Amino acid sequence: MANKNNTKRKLVGLVSEESGNRTYYTKKNTMNTPDKLTLRKYDPILRKHVTYTETKKNLGRNEVKQKKS
């Protein structure tokens, strides 16, 4: 059987930029996509499509950390 602990995929949460709620979780390959994910998905609280950005899965607050420039 394959060992699932030896993968490059990380579990990340997606936070809505308008409502600030973390509704979706997804897996991302960190080797192929080192930048933060930005997806346009449906927000059930606002009942419309908004932009979601990547955050850590275990982040206690539903905040998006700013990129270091």
Side-chain angles (χ1 to χ4, degrees):
M1 266 217 228
N3 186 2
K4 298 218 175 209
N5 293 334
N6 194 13
T7 61
K8 301 288 183 192
R9 294 194 159 270
K10 302 290 181 189
L11 187 63
V12 295
L14 297 175
V15 175
S16 172
E17 290 188 353
E18 291 189 23
S19 67
N21 292 324
R22 184 173 42 196
T23 310
Y24 296 102
Y25 293 94
T26 185
K27 290 185 179 182
K28 135 181 158 167
N29 189 333
T30 55
M31 297 295 285
N32 295 338
T33 54
D35 299 332
K36 286 192 173 191
L37 286 178
T38 303
L39 300 173
R40 188 165 165 82
K41 297 183 77 64
Y42 180 77
D43 190 345
I45 294 170
L46 298 176
R47 295 182 3 188
K48 62 180 183 178
H49 283 83
V50 295
T51 305
Y52 278 80
T53 56
E54 173 189 341
T55 184
K56 291 182 181 178
K57 174 190 174 281
N58 59 357
L59 191 62
R61 301 171 311 273
N62 290 335
E63 296 175 0
V64 178
K65 290 189 175 182
Q66 298 296 323
K67 292 182 183 177
K68 294 180 181 178
S69 298

